[in-house]
Amino acid sequence: MTSSAASSASSAFTASSVFSALAPYGWDDAWADEFAPHEPDGLLPGRVIRVDRGQCDVVTADGIVRADTAFVTPNDPMRVVCTGDWVAVEPAGNPRYVRTYLPRRTAFVRSTSSNRSEGQILAANVDHAIIAVSLAVEVDLGRIERFLALAWESGAQPLVVLTKADLVPDPVTLGHLVQDVETAAPGVPVLPVSSLDGAGLEVLVAVVSGGTTVLLGQSGAGKSTLANALLGEEVMDVRATRDADGKGRHTTTTRNLLALPGGGVLIDTPGLRGVGLWDAESGVGQVFSEIEELAARCRFHDCAHESEPGCAVLAAIEDGELAERRLDSYRKLMRENQRIVAKTDARLRAEIKRDWKRKGAQGKAAMEAKRGRWA
């Protein structure tokens, strides 16, 4: 771009007009400082509200523009432009191009469904993560724990919303369900909500009115209905779920960022069939904080909580202080995360291999000792 074109573009949009247009989408002084190095090039700041097929819709002071993302490392799924990104986009052109995205404050990452050991960005610059769980079917605590690990690892504050609460009219039964979920979500608010009668929505609106919120959950969890309730209008398509398993077709097929009438922005995501962890050890530790605290009191610092003497975790299970289901879920997610990390970490792969050999040798020695006693 020529210097005259850059000067013309920069004069067309003053700092005040940029703030006026982008503040509803989360623009602040810190983002303005991040964007400052791109101003001399005549680029426009904007937030990505939708991505599909290598292009994206960006809200700018010039309105919503369509831009190509080819300049932003398209072959690396961790560095592609995603919904929620703040970007520097060309002020004109056919096509326009996104030149770069600003450093992300937070990022939701899961492992891809492929075998290529890659992470996939779901959303960027998110402050709150709503994990939608339908009460129309049996609550899967393990899946909630998995979503929570993803949320904590991202840097966002999670919130579990139990949708379709009107299907559980007995307050005692509803209270027990909330308590069950709270045991799987220590330190996380659990809110039953009904989009039908409005129960719980006032509290939820207050939470999402500040910052950016992403909606996560399985297809059929009621995310689109919840999004419509927060938006105050029928923006997202809603379809009925199957009676047999409570699942529905994907009514949301792309990740859409929408400004909320009461303040804040919402990113609605497609239903996630699989939620693979991606280097989420600290997130898993946050979900199972009580196990991590107990583990610190074990006799051995590398205790596997299986049969070691002086294991505080196993002692807590025996005393009824810790549910065995929690330990099983913790082990499962930690093993999964270790496998993911090991695919890209040669040192960790070697450590795992040595650990397998050590445990194999211990098992062999134990069997030989038993045979000696039986002889």
Side-chain angles (χ1 to χ4, degrees):
M1 180 180 295
T2 65
S3 59
S4 60
S7 175
S8 174
S10 61
S11 63
F13 301 102
T14 64
S16 61
S17 67
V18 169
F19 264 86
S20 176
L22 298 183
Y25 293 89
W27 186 254
D28 55 26
D29 289 335
W31 285 121
D33 290 341
E34 291 282 1
F35 182 77
H38 305 291
E39 288 182 354
D41 296 326
L43 300 176
L44 298 178
R47 193 165 196 190
V48 177
I49 60 175
R50 186 172 180 268
V51 178
D52 64 281
R53 298 183 179 87
Q55 292 190 317
C56 61
D57 294 331
V58 184
V59 60
T60 72
D62 195 24
I64 296 176
V65 303
R66 188 75 168 165
D68 196 295
T69 64
F71 278 101
V72 191
T73 321
N75 295 323
D76 184 348
M78 294 288 282
R79 297 177 62 190
V80 297
V81 171
C82 75
T83 303
D85 270 327
W86 286 99
V87 298
V89 65
E90 294 176 344
N94 188 19
R96 295 192 189 198
Y97 286 97
V98 170
R99 287 294 173 173
T100 188
Y101 59 81
L102 304 186
R104 292 162 175 158
R105 294 177 182 175
T106 62
F108 275 83
V109 183
R110 68 168 177 176
S111 62
T112 61
S113 57
S114 68
N115 295 318
R116 293 161 54 188
S117 305
E118 294 175 336
Q120 178 190 22
I121 300 285
L122 295 179
N125 303 311
V126 173
D127 303 295
H128 308 285
I130 294 177
I131 299 164
V133 180
S134 173
L135 292 180
V137 293
E138 185 177 354
V139 174
D140 186 341
L141 297 179
R143 180 168 288 273
I144 293 173
E145 289 162 345
R146 181 177 290 272
F147 272 109
L148 286 171
L150 183 77
W152 281 124
E153 190 67 31
S154 76
Q157 171 65 49
L159 165 68
V160 179
V161 171
L162 304 180
T163 65
K164 308 178 186 181
D166 50 279
L167 298 179
V168 188
D170 178 28
V172 175
T173 302
L174 183 60
H176 287 318
L177 287 169
V178 171
Q179 288 177 355
D180 287 344
V181 175
E182 287 175 340
T183 63
V188 176
V190 179
L191 179 66
V193 165
S194 170
S195 299
L196 186 65
D197 59 26
L201 282 175
E202 187 175 341
V203 175
L204 189 58
V205 167
V207 171
V208 303
S209 63
T212 298
T213 301
V214 66
L215 264 175
L216 301 170
Q218 284 184 289
S219 181
K223 297 188 306 302
S224 295
T225 301
L226 192 60
N228 286 335
L230 292 172
L231 290 162
E233 55 182 315
E234 298 295 316
V235 174
M236 310 307 295
D237 184 25
V238 178
R239 298 176 189 172
T241 58
R242 297 194 298 254
D243 292 334
D245 56 11
K247 295 181 180 179
R249 291 177 292 172
H250 293 294
T251 54
T252 302
T253 57
T254 58
R255 299 173 188 94
N256 303 285
L257 186 148
L258 302 158
L260 295 170
V265 293
L266 181 72
I267 299 176
D268 190 21
T269 65
L272 300 175
R273 294 188 180 92
V275 192
L277 302 183
W278 176 259
D279 196 5
E281 183 175 352
S282 63
V284 175
Q286 186 80 28
V287 176
F288 298 93
S289 56
E290 80 277 32
I291 295 179
E292 300 259 303
E293 292 171 4
L294 287 167
R297 304 204 296 264
C298 290
R299 181 182 301 177
F300 305 108
H301 75 278
D302 60 347
C303 184
H305 320 308
E306 294 174 349
S307 59
E308 296 87 345
C311 176
V313 175
L314 295 180
I317 289 178
E318 284 188 24
D319 295 341
E321 180 185 349
L322 176 68
E324 191 166 359
R325 187 206 68 79
R326 286 282 285 171
L327 179 57
D328 290 341
S329 186
Y330 172 74
R331 286 170 173 160
K332 178 181 179 180
L333 293 184
M334 288 297 282
R335 284 195 302 267
E336 176 184 325
N337 189 70
Q338 193 177 50
R339 287 195 300 270
I340 288 294
V341 175
K343 288 182 179 180
T344 55
D345 188 330
R347 180 188 57 80
L348 182 57
R349 285 199 300 272
E351 288 180 2
I352 293 173
K353 190 173 182 179
R354 285 195 297 271
D355 188 51
W356 285 343
K357 287 183 177 179
R358 179 180 61 81
K359 289 183 177 180
Q362 289 175 344
K364 184 178 180 180
M367 288 300 296
E368 289 176 350
K370 286 182 180 180
R371 293 193 187 98
R373 290 196 298 270
W374 293 337

